[in-house]
Amino acid sequence: MRFVTDQQVEDIEMPENLKLNTFLQEFHSDCPHPECDFGFYGFAFGQSPFPVPGPVQDALARNSGRGAYAAVQGIPELRSAISRYNKRYFGMDISPERVYVGPGTKELIFNLLEILHGTVILPTPAWLGYLPQIRFLKKNFHMLPARANKKIHPDDLRRLALRLHDRQKILILNNPNNPTGLVYGRNELEEIAAVCREQNIVVISDEIYAQTTFEYAQFTSMGKIYPEGSFVTNGLSKSHAAGGYRLGYVVFPQHATDLKAQFKKILATEYTAVSTPIQHAAVAGFEPCREIDEYFETTRGIHQIMAEYAHHAICSIEGVRATRPGGTFYLLADFNSFSEHLHKAGIYTSQDLSESLIVHPYHTAIVGGDSLVLERTDFSARIAYVDYDGAAVYARYAGSPPKTASERTEFVQKNAPRVVAGISMIERFLDDVKNGVRGQKQTLTV
Protein backbone atom coordinates (compact mmCIF):
# COMPACT_ATOMS: atom_id res chain seq x y z
CA MET A 1 0.00 0.00 0.00
CA ARG A 2 1.32 3.46 -0.87
CA PHE A 3 0.68 6.10 1.77
CA VAL A 4 0.06 9.72 0.84
CA THR A 5 1.16 12.52 3.14
CA ASP A 6 -0.49 15.90 3.38
CA GLN A 7 1.12 18.49 1.11
CA GLN A 8 1.73 20.97 3.91
CA VAL A 9 3.86 18.33 5.64
CA GLU A 10 5.75 17.68 2.41
CA ASP A 11 6.54 21.39 2.23
CA ILE A 12 8.14 21.52 5.69
CA GLU A 13 11.91 21.05 5.87
CA MET A 14 13.74 19.64 8.87
CA PRO A 15 15.38 22.51 10.79
CA GLU A 16 18.96 22.91 9.65
CA ASN A 17 20.52 22.36 13.08
CA LEU A 18 18.67 19.06 13.51
CA LYS A 19 19.45 18.09 9.92
CA LEU A 20 23.15 18.67 10.47
CA ASN A 21 23.11 16.95 13.84
CA THR A 22 21.44 13.87 12.34
CA PHE A 23 23.94 13.88 9.49
CA LEU A 24 26.89 14.06 11.88
CA GLN A 25 25.53 11.28 14.08
CA GLU A 26 25.06 8.99 11.09
CA PHE A 27 28.26 9.77 9.18
CA HIS A 28 30.78 10.76 11.83
CA SER A 29 32.88 7.63 11.25
CA ASP A 30 32.87 7.69 7.44
CA CYS A 31 36.09 9.68 6.94
CA PRO A 32 38.91 7.25 6.02
CA HIS A 33 41.68 9.61 7.15
CA PRO A 34 43.10 8.49 10.53
CA GLU A 35 43.85 12.06 11.57
CA CYS A 36 40.10 12.79 11.52
CA ASP A 37 39.23 10.60 14.49
CA PHE A 38 38.13 13.77 16.31
CA GLY A 39 34.79 13.57 14.46
CA PHE A 40 33.36 17.06 13.82
CA TYR A 41 33.69 20.47 15.38
CA GLY A 42 30.13 21.09 16.47
CA PHE A 43 29.10 24.71 16.00
CA ALA A 44 25.66 23.82 14.63
CA PHE A 45 23.63 22.44 17.51
CA GLY A 46 22.73 24.95 20.22
CA GLN A 47 22.51 22.97 23.42
CA SER A 48 23.81 24.02 26.82
CA PRO A 49 26.65 21.62 27.66
CA PHE A 50 26.31 21.75 31.43
CA PRO A 51 24.74 19.16 33.76
CA VAL A 52 21.17 19.71 34.92
CA PRO A 53 21.31 21.39 38.37
CA GLY A 54 21.47 18.92 41.24
CA PRO A 55 18.24 20.05 42.97
CA VAL A 56 16.31 19.47 39.74
CA GLN A 57 17.81 16.00 39.25
CA ASP A 58 17.06 15.08 42.88
CA ALA A 59 13.47 16.29 42.57
CA LEU A 60 12.97 14.24 39.43
CA ALA A 61 14.20 11.11 41.21
CA ARG A 62 11.91 11.75 44.19
CA ASN A 63 8.88 12.23 41.94
CA SER A 64 9.53 9.51 39.39
CA GLY A 65 6.62 7.45 40.70
CA ARG A 66 3.99 10.08 39.94
CA GLY A 67 1.97 8.45 37.19
CA ALA A 68 -1.24 10.46 37.30
CA TYR A 69 -2.16 13.01 34.68
CA ALA A 70 -1.40 16.59 35.65
CA ALA A 71 -3.64 19.60 35.19
CA VAL A 72 -3.70 20.84 31.60
CA GLN A 73 -2.26 24.26 32.42
CA GLY A 74 0.34 22.85 34.82
CA ILE A 75 0.39 21.69 38.45
CA PRO A 76 -0.42 24.49 40.91
CA GLU A 77 2.93 24.17 42.72
CA LEU A 78 4.83 24.76 39.48
CA ARG A 79 2.74 27.69 38.31
CA SER A 80 3.20 29.33 41.72
CA ALA A 81 6.95 28.68 41.60
CA ILE A 82 7.18 30.22 38.12
CA SER A 83 5.24 33.24 39.34
CA ARG A 84 7.75 33.77 42.17
CA TYR A 85 10.66 33.08 39.82
CA ASN A 86 9.55 35.85 37.48
CA LYS A 87 9.17 38.24 40.40
CA ARG A 88 12.60 37.43 41.79
CA TYR A 89 14.63 37.38 38.59
CA PHE A 90 12.73 39.61 36.18
CA GLY A 91 10.79 41.96 38.42
CA MET A 92 7.43 40.88 36.97
CA ASP A 93 4.55 40.66 39.41
CA ILE A 94 2.39 38.00 37.77
CA SER A 95 -0.26 35.76 39.26
CA PRO A 96 0.03 31.96 38.82
CA GLU A 97 -3.22 32.12 36.84
CA ARG A 98 -1.35 33.88 34.02
CA VAL A 99 1.15 30.99 33.72
CA TYR A 100 0.58 28.00 31.41
CA VAL A 101 3.05 25.13 31.20
CA GLY A 102 3.83 23.19 28.02
CA PRO A 103 6.33 20.67 26.59
CA GLY A 104 8.95 23.26 25.68
CA THR A 105 8.71 26.82 24.41
CA LYS A 106 8.75 25.60 20.82
CA GLU A 107 5.41 23.88 21.32
CA LEU A 108 3.96 26.81 23.26
CA ILE A 109 4.90 29.27 20.51
CA PHE A 110 3.24 26.94 18.03
CA ASN A 111 0.11 26.85 20.20
CA LEU A 112 0.05 30.65 20.45
CA LEU A 113 0.35 30.99 16.69
CA GLU A 114 -2.58 28.56 16.37
CA ILE A 115 -4.97 30.68 18.42
CA LEU A 116 -3.83 34.24 17.62
CA HIS A 117 -5.36 35.90 14.58
CA GLY A 118 -3.24 38.14 12.38
CA THR A 119 -0.21 38.43 10.17
CA VAL A 120 3.07 37.39 11.76
CA ILE A 121 5.99 39.83 11.69
CA LEU A 122 9.24 37.88 11.82
CA PRO A 123 12.49 39.79 12.43
CA THR A 124 15.46 38.41 10.53
CA PRO A 125 17.90 36.84 11.06
CA ALA A 126 15.79 34.51 13.15
CA TRP A 127 15.91 31.27 15.07
CA LEU A 128 15.40 28.56 12.51
CA GLY A 129 12.31 27.10 14.20
CA TYR A 130 9.89 29.99 13.76
CA LEU A 131 9.38 30.00 10.00
CA PRO A 132 8.57 26.27 9.62
CA GLN A 133 5.86 26.65 12.27
CA ILE A 134 4.41 29.74 10.60
CA ARG A 135 4.32 27.96 7.25
CA PHE A 136 2.88 24.77 8.71
CA LEU A 137 0.01 26.78 10.19
CA LYS A 138 -0.43 28.64 6.88
CA LYS A 139 -0.17 31.98 8.62
CA ASN A 140 0.38 35.14 6.62
CA PHE A 141 3.78 36.56 7.47
CA HIS A 142 6.21 39.32 6.58
CA MET A 143 9.94 39.50 7.26
CA LEU A 144 11.31 42.47 9.18
CA PRO A 145 15.04 42.62 8.32
CA ALA A 146 17.37 43.87 11.01
CA ARG A 147 19.52 46.89 10.31
CA ALA A 148 23.31 46.85 10.12
CA ASN A 149 23.49 46.49 13.91
CA LYS A 150 21.45 43.25 13.53
CA LYS A 151 18.53 44.61 15.54
CA ILE A 152 15.12 45.69 14.33
CA HIS A 153 14.25 49.40 14.43
CA PRO A 154 10.87 50.74 15.60
CA ASP A 155 10.53 52.94 12.49
CA ASP A 156 10.84 49.87 10.27
CA LEU A 157 8.28 48.04 12.40
CA ARG A 158 5.84 50.94 12.09
CA ARG A 159 6.25 51.16 8.31
CA LEU A 160 5.61 47.46 7.91
CA ALA A 161 2.62 47.46 10.27
CA LEU A 162 1.01 50.34 8.36
CA ARG A 163 1.05 48.18 5.22
CA LEU A 164 -0.82 45.37 6.97
CA HIS A 165 -4.58 45.61 7.25
CA ASP A 166 -5.21 42.96 9.89
CA ARG A 167 -7.01 44.08 13.01
CA GLN A 168 -4.14 42.49 14.92
CA LYS A 169 -0.51 41.80 14.07
CA ILE A 170 1.86 39.37 15.81
CA LEU A 171 5.52 40.23 16.39
CA ILE A 172 7.90 37.42 17.36
CA LEU A 173 10.69 38.98 19.40
CA ASN A 174 13.57 36.79 20.56
CA ASN A 175 15.59 38.44 23.34
CA PRO A 176 18.43 37.62 23.95
CA ASN A 177 18.61 36.75 20.31
CA ASN A 178 19.39 33.48 18.60
CA PRO A 179 21.39 33.59 16.25
CA THR A 180 23.17 36.89 16.98
CA GLY A 181 23.60 36.75 20.75
CA LEU A 182 22.49 40.40 20.91
CA VAL A 183 20.33 41.73 23.73
CA TYR A 184 17.66 44.41 23.40
CA GLY A 185 17.96 46.99 26.18
CA ARG A 186 15.11 48.60 28.08
CA ASN A 187 15.01 51.75 25.94
CA GLU A 188 14.94 49.71 22.74
CA LEU A 189 12.08 47.59 24.06
CA GLU A 190 10.13 50.68 25.12
CA GLU A 191 10.41 52.12 21.60
CA ILE A 192 9.23 48.84 20.07
CA ALA A 193 6.38 48.60 22.60
CA ALA A 194 5.22 52.11 21.71
CA VAL A 195 4.81 51.05 18.08
CA CYS A 196 3.03 47.86 19.16
CA ARG A 197 0.48 49.83 21.17
CA GLU A 198 -0.03 52.26 18.31
CA GLN A 199 -0.42 49.57 15.63
CA ASN A 200 -2.25 46.88 17.64
CA ILE A 201 0.64 44.42 17.57
CA VAL A 202 0.79 41.60 20.09
CA VAL A 203 4.22 40.26 20.96
CA ILE A 204 5.37 36.69 21.44
CA SER A 205 8.50 37.44 23.44
CA ASP A 206 10.76 34.40 23.37
CA GLU A 207 13.02 34.91 26.39
CA ILE A 208 14.41 31.40 26.71
CA TYR A 209 17.98 32.80 26.94
CA ALA A 210 17.18 35.45 29.57
CA GLN A 211 19.33 33.87 32.29
CA THR A 212 22.33 33.73 29.95
CA THR A 213 22.50 37.54 29.65
CA PHE A 214 26.09 38.37 30.56
CA GLU A 215 25.29 41.71 32.21
CA TYR A 216 22.33 40.13 33.89
CA ALA A 217 21.18 43.21 35.79
CA GLN A 218 20.60 44.90 32.43
CA PHE A 219 18.11 42.32 31.14
CA THR A 220 14.52 43.57 30.83
CA SER A 221 11.56 41.40 29.94
CA MET A 222 9.09 42.63 27.34
CA GLY A 223 6.43 41.45 29.77
CA LYS A 224 7.46 44.25 32.09
CA ILE A 225 7.46 46.91 29.34
CA TYR A 226 4.29 45.82 27.50
CA PRO A 227 2.36 43.66 29.99
CA GLU A 228 -1.00 44.13 28.30
CA GLY A 229 0.19 42.80 24.94
CA SER A 230 3.08 40.37 25.52
CA PHE A 231 3.13 36.59 25.71
CA VAL A 232 6.44 35.79 27.42
CA THR A 233 7.87 32.30 26.90
CA ASN A 234 10.68 30.74 28.90
CA GLY A 235 11.62 27.36 30.32
CA LEU A 236 14.29 24.97 31.54
CA SER A 237 16.20 24.19 28.36
CA LYS A 238 18.86 26.93 28.23
CA SER A 239 19.04 28.32 31.77
CA HIS A 240 18.99 24.89 33.44
CA ALA A 241 20.62 22.90 30.59
CA ALA A 242 17.52 20.71 30.57
CA GLY A 243 16.39 20.75 26.95
CA GLY A 244 15.59 17.05 27.20
CA TYR A 245 13.10 17.67 30.00
CA ARG A 246 10.87 19.45 27.44
CA LEU A 247 9.31 21.92 29.83
CA GLY A 248 8.50 25.52 29.04
CA TYR A 249 5.98 28.09 30.15
CA VAL A 250 4.16 31.10 28.82
CA VAL A 251 3.08 34.14 30.81
CA PHE A 252 -0.14 35.53 29.36
CA PRO A 253 -0.79 39.26 29.04
CA GLN A 254 -2.86 41.07 31.62
CA HIS A 255 -6.64 40.72 31.26
CA ALA A 256 -6.49 37.80 28.76
CA THR A 257 -9.07 35.63 30.54
CA ASP A 258 -11.04 34.57 27.47
CA LEU A 259 -7.89 33.80 25.53
CA LYS A 260 -6.55 31.57 28.31
CA ALA A 261 -9.72 29.47 28.11
CA GLN A 262 -9.20 28.99 24.36
CA PHE A 263 -5.53 28.14 24.94
CA LYS A 264 -6.39 25.54 27.56
CA LYS A 265 -8.71 23.87 25.08
CA ILE A 266 -5.89 23.64 22.52
CA LEU A 267 -3.44 22.18 25.05
CA ALA A 268 -5.93 19.58 26.23
CA THR A 269 -6.62 18.54 22.65
CA GLU A 270 -3.01 18.30 21.54
CA TYR A 271 -1.07 16.81 24.47
CA THR A 272 -3.24 16.74 27.63
CA ALA A 273 -0.45 17.85 29.97
CA VAL A 274 3.30 17.91 30.49
CA SER A 275 4.85 14.84 32.16
CA THR A 276 3.94 14.92 35.86
CA PRO A 277 7.39 13.91 37.23
CA ILE A 278 9.03 16.56 35.05
CA GLN A 279 6.68 19.23 36.37
CA HIS A 280 7.51 18.36 39.96
CA ALA A 281 11.23 18.40 39.14
CA ALA A 282 10.80 21.83 37.54
CA VAL A 283 9.40 23.23 40.79
CA ALA A 284 12.86 22.77 42.28
CA GLY A 285 14.36 24.58 39.30
CA PHE A 286 12.19 27.65 39.72
CA GLU A 287 12.09 27.93 43.51
CA PRO A 288 14.64 30.20 45.26
CA CYS A 289 17.77 28.16 45.89
CA ARG A 290 21.33 29.25 46.61
CA GLU A 291 22.77 26.31 44.66
CA ILE A 292 20.80 27.24 41.54
CA ASP A 293 21.73 30.92 41.92
CA GLU A 294 25.38 29.87 41.92
CA TYR A 295 24.68 27.61 38.95
CA PHE A 296 23.26 30.55 36.96
CA GLU A 297 26.23 32.77 37.86
CA THR A 298 28.77 30.10 36.96
CA THR A 299 27.23 29.05 33.64
CA ARG A 300 26.67 32.69 32.69
CA GLY A 301 30.31 33.46 33.41
CA ILE A 302 31.51 30.54 31.30
CA HIS A 303 29.25 31.50 28.40
CA GLN A 304 30.66 35.03 28.53
CA ILE A 305 34.27 33.84 28.47
CA MET A 306 33.55 31.55 25.53
CA ALA A 307 31.72 34.38 23.73
CA GLU A 308 34.60 36.78 24.19
CA TYR A 309 37.09 34.25 22.84
CA ALA A 310 34.91 33.15 19.91
CA HIS A 311 34.14 36.74 18.89
CA HIS A 312 37.77 37.81 19.02
CA ALA A 313 39.01 34.68 17.21
CA ILE A 314 36.41 34.90 14.43
CA CYS A 315 36.98 38.62 13.92
CA SER A 316 40.74 38.04 13.81
CA ILE A 317 40.25 36.18 10.53
CA GLU A 318 40.86 38.78 7.85
CA GLY A 319 37.63 39.69 6.08
CA VAL A 320 35.27 38.16 8.67
CA ARG A 321 32.91 40.15 10.87
CA ALA A 322 30.71 38.89 13.70
CA THR A 323 28.16 40.08 16.21
CA ARG A 324 29.43 40.63 19.76
CA PRO A 325 27.14 38.54 21.99
CA GLY A 326 25.58 40.00 25.11
CA GLY A 327 23.96 36.68 25.99
CA THR A 328 23.11 33.18 24.68
CA PHE A 329 25.92 30.98 23.35
CA TYR A 330 25.81 32.07 19.70
CA LEU A 331 27.23 34.67 17.40
CA LEU A 332 26.48 35.45 13.77
CA ALA A 333 29.56 35.40 11.56
CA ASP A 334 29.59 37.25 8.22
CA PHE A 335 31.69 35.69 5.45
CA ASN A 336 30.25 37.79 2.61
CA SER A 337 33.58 39.47 1.84
CA PHE A 338 34.63 36.05 0.49
CA SER A 339 31.70 35.88 -1.96
CA GLU A 340 33.83 36.13 -5.09
CA HIS A 341 36.21 33.39 -3.92
CA LEU A 342 33.34 31.20 -2.79
CA HIS A 343 31.62 31.54 -6.17
CA LYS A 344 34.82 30.53 -7.94
CA ALA A 345 34.88 27.45 -5.72
CA GLY A 346 31.33 26.55 -6.77
CA ILE A 347 29.80 27.72 -3.49
CA TYR A 348 26.78 29.88 -4.30
CA THR A 349 24.50 29.59 -1.27
CA SER A 350 24.89 29.42 2.48
CA GLN A 351 23.74 25.81 2.29
CA ASP A 352 26.66 25.13 -0.07
CA LEU A 353 28.93 26.77 2.48
CA SER A 354 27.63 24.57 5.30
CA GLU A 355 28.07 21.42 3.24
CA SER A 356 31.56 22.40 2.10
CA LEU A 357 32.74 22.93 5.67
CA ILE A 358 31.53 19.51 6.82
CA VAL A 359 33.74 17.42 4.54
CA HIS A 360 37.39 16.45 4.86
CA PRO A 361 39.61 18.01 6.01
CA TYR A 362 37.48 20.65 7.74
CA HIS A 363 34.79 18.61 9.54
CA THR A 364 33.14 21.73 10.92
CA ALA A 365 29.38 22.09 11.35
CA ILE A 366 27.69 25.50 11.19
CA VAL A 367 24.14 26.73 10.48
CA GLY A 368 24.00 28.77 7.27
CA GLY A 369 22.14 32.00 6.64
CA ASP A 370 19.27 30.59 4.61
CA SER A 371 18.23 28.51 7.64
CA LEU A 372 18.26 31.73 9.67
CA VAL A 373 15.69 33.32 7.33
CA LEU A 374 18.32 35.29 5.44
CA GLU A 375 18.74 35.27 1.68
CA ARG A 376 20.06 31.96 0.38
CA THR A 377 23.03 33.80 -1.07
CA ASP A 378 23.92 35.48 2.22
CA PHE A 379 27.16 33.92 3.46
CA SER A 380 26.41 34.43 7.12
CA ALA A 381 26.37 31.60 9.63
CA ARG A 382 25.50 30.95 13.23
CA ILE A 383 28.33 29.71 15.43
CA ALA A 384 27.29 27.91 18.64
CA TYR A 385 30.43 27.95 20.79
CA VAL A 386 29.47 25.14 23.20
CA ASP A 387 31.54 22.22 21.89
CA TYR A 388 33.23 21.33 25.19
CA ASP A 389 32.78 19.12 28.26
CA GLY A 390 30.39 21.22 30.29
CA ALA A 391 30.69 19.25 33.53
CA ALA A 392 34.50 19.45 33.56
CA VAL A 393 34.56 23.12 32.56
CA TYR A 394 31.96 23.96 35.20
CA ALA A 395 34.03 22.33 37.95
CA ARG A 396 37.25 24.08 36.89
CA TYR A 397 35.60 27.49 36.62
CA ALA A 398 33.82 27.14 39.96
CA GLY A 399 37.09 26.14 41.62
CA SER A 400 39.10 29.06 40.23
CA PRO A 401 37.37 31.58 37.96
CA PRO A 402 39.83 33.32 35.63
CA LYS A 403 40.14 37.04 36.36
CA THR A 404 42.45 38.73 33.87
CA ALA A 405 42.06 38.82 30.08
CA SER A 406 45.04 36.51 29.64
CA GLU A 407 43.67 34.06 32.19
CA ARG A 408 40.33 34.04 30.41
CA THR A 409 41.97 33.27 27.06
CA GLU A 410 44.09 30.56 28.63
CA PHE A 411 40.98 29.08 30.27
CA VAL A 412 39.28 28.69 26.89
CA GLN A 413 42.38 27.28 25.23
CA LYS A 414 42.79 24.66 27.95
CA ASN A 415 39.15 23.80 28.53
CA ALA A 416 37.51 24.23 25.13
CA PRO A 417 40.13 22.99 22.65
CA ARG A 418 37.47 21.97 20.12
CA VAL A 419 36.10 25.53 20.01
CA VAL A 420 39.63 26.83 19.45
CA ALA A 421 40.46 24.22 16.80
CA GLY A 422 37.09 24.60 15.06
CA ILE A 423 37.55 28.33 14.55
CA SER A 424 41.08 27.66 13.25
CA MET A 425 39.56 25.16 10.82
CA ILE A 426 37.14 27.80 9.53
CA GLU A 427 40.13 30.06 8.91
CA ARG A 428 41.91 27.23 7.09
CA PHE A 429 38.85 26.66 4.92
CA LEU A 430 38.66 30.34 3.96
CA ASP A 431 42.37 30.38 3.14
CA ASP A 432 41.91 27.32 0.95
CA VAL A 433 38.98 28.95 -0.83
CA LYS A 434 41.06 32.05 -1.53
CA ASN A 435 43.87 29.87 -2.85
CA GLY A 436 41.58 27.68 -4.97
CA VAL A 437 42.00 24.56 -2.83
CA ARG A 438 39.22 22.97 -0.76
CA GLY A 439 37.51 19.67 0.03
CA GLN A 440 34.65 18.30 -2.01
CA LYS A 441 31.13 19.36 -1.07
CA GLN A 442 28.93 16.54 0.22
CA THR A 443 25.14 16.82 0.01
CA LEU A 444 23.24 16.14 3.21
CA THR A 445 20.88 13.21 2.79
CA VAL A 446 18.75 12.72 5.86
Side-chain angles (χ1 to χ4, degrees):
M1 180 176 181
R2 183 176 182 273
F3 296 95
V4 181
T5 56
D6 191 280
Q7 186 59 48
Q8 69 178 16
V9 176
E10 292 280 356
D11 293 341
I12 297 296
E13 292 187 5
M14 182 185 290
E16 189 64 25
N17 63 338
L18 298 179
K19 183 178 180 182
L20 279 168
N21 192 54
T22 303
F23 175 83
L24 297 180
Q25 288 174 343
E26 293 182 358
F27 296 98
H28 70 279
S29 61
D30 278 8
C31 186
H33 300 270
E35 70 271 23
C36 297
D37 59 355
F38 61 87
F40 291 83
Y41 299 119
F43 293 138
F45 203 60
Q47 177 167 273
S48 178
F50 304 113
V52 175
V56 179
Q57 295 188 44
D58 294 342
L60 180 60
R62 289 195 307 270
N63 290 280
S64 62
R66 293 184 181 269
Y69 288 116
V72 173
Q73 64 270 43
I75 61 173
E77 305 96 308
L78 178 56
R79 298 170 78 200
S80 294
I82 291 170
S83 174
R84 293 189 292 271
Y85 176 84
N86 275 269
K87 176 69 171 178
R88 183 181 190 199
Y89 288 103
F90 308 128
M92 294 200 302
D93 192 4
I94 59 170
S95 68
E97 288 71 34
R98 288 173 59 190
V99 177
Y100 274 55
V101 177
T105 56
K106 179 188 286 188
E107 178 67 29
L108 287 167
I109 291 169
F110 184 83
N111 298 144
L112 289 170
L113 291 171
E114 281 183 298
I115 68 168
L116 290 171
H117 170 79
T119 296
V120 179
I121 299 172
L122 181 62
T124 61
W127 173 57
L128 42 80
Y130 299 132
L131 188 57
Q133 291 192 2
I134 293 167
R135 285 177 168 159
F136 186 80
L137 291 169
K138 298 182 179 179
K139 305 284 286 189
N140 292 328
F141 66 93
H142 283 269
M143 310 301 188
L144 180 61
R147 292 195 175 185
N149 66 353
K150 300 305 178 187
K151 291 182 177 181
I152 62 170
H153 194 278
D155 291 344
D156 300 334
L157 176 61
R158 180 180 289 106
R159 277 192 290 269
L160 175 56
L162 286 169
R163 291 167 39 204
L164 305 177
H165 301 294
D166 304 62
R167 288 176 297 160
Q168 173 177 276
K169 280 77 69 176
I170 307 163
L171 172 66
I172 298 180
L173 187 68
N174 182 204
N175 184 42
N177 182 260
N178 172 3
T180 65
L182 299 177
V183 181
Y184 285 85
R186 185 183 187 97
N187 290 341
E188 293 169 313
L189 294 176
E190 287 176 344
E191 291 177 351
I192 292 170
V195 176
C196 291
R197 289 189 177 99
E198 170 193 310
Q199 298 295 324
N200 198 30
I201 302 171
V202 301
V203 178
I204 297 176
S205 188
D206 182 355
E207 300 179 6
I208 192 67
Y209 293 97
Q211 285 285 8
T212 71
T213 308
F214 305 151
E215 300 297 331
Y216 179 70
Q218 302 302 313
F219 175 78
T220 303
S221 173
M222 194 61 158
K224 193 171 183 179
I225 302 298
Y226 185 35
E228 74 275 25
S230 295
F231 298 82
V232 178
T233 62
N234 206 333
L236 291 176
S237 65
K238 310 304 180 182
S239 54
H240 299 71
Y245 278 49
R246 306 312 307 137
L247 186 136
Y249 67 82
V250 57
V251 177
F252 271 71
Q254 295 172 335
H255 317 304
T257 303
D258 292 344
L259 192 63
K260 286 188 294 183
Q262 297 298 323
F263 196 70
K264 182 178 179 180
K265 179 173 63 178
I266 291 292
L267 304 194
T269 301
E270 292 191 1
Y271 49 79
T272 306
V274 175
S275 161
T276 306
I278 292 294
Q279 291 200 52
H280 282 276
V283 173
F286 291 121
E287 288 283 20
C289 172
R290 180 176 178 81
E291 184 177 342
I292 289 183
D293 281 346
E294 292 174 352
Y295 178 92
F296 289 157
E297 291 173 8
T298 299
T299 55
R300 190 182 298 132
I302 295 169
H303 285 319
Q304 183 171 12
I305 287 177
M306 297 297 174
E308 290 170 353
Y309 180 90
H311 178 264
H312 180 265
I314 287 283
C315 291
S316 295
I317 302 172
E318 186 177 358
V320 179
R321 298 179 299 169
T323 53
R324 184 187 295 274
T328 75
F329 29 82
Y330 310 105
L331 58 77
L332 187 71
D334 183 342
F335 304 112
N336 283 292
S337 68
F338 292 86
S339 293
E340 183 177 343
H341 297 295
L342 291 167
H343 292 163
K344 288 179 180 178
I347 299 170
Y348 299 103
T349 68
S350 59
Q351 178 68 16
D352 292 340
L353 176 62
S354 299
E355 293 176 4
S356 297
L357 265 168
I358 285 177
V359 299
H360 181 79
Y362 315 111
H363 297 279
T364 302
I366 61 173
V367 174
D370 58 339
S371 298
L372 306 172
V373 203
L374 297 171
E375 294 292 334
R376 296 180 69 246
T377 54
D378 187 327
F379 293 118
S380 296
R382 189 189 75 178
I383 306 295
Y385 41 86
V386 284
D387 190 0
Y388 53 86
D389 182 339
V393 171
Y394 185 101
R396 291 168 192 150
Y397 181 94
S400 181
K403 296 178 176 61
T404 66
S406 60
E407 286 178 351
R408 291 160 79 88
T409 299
E410 183 180 3
F411 183 88
V412 176
Q413 291 171 337
K414 285 185 175 180
N415 293 287
R418 292 176 63 83
V419 172
V420 175
I423 294 174
S424 295
M425 195 62 81
I426 291 173
E427 183 173 20
R428 176 181 172 182
F429 169 81
L430 294 171
D431 285 340
D432 287 351
V433 166
K434 285 195 294 186
N435 296 323
V437 179
R438 68 177 184 89
Q440 295 298 309
K441 184 179 72 173
Q442 182 169 338
T443 301
L444 305 188
T445 54
V446 296

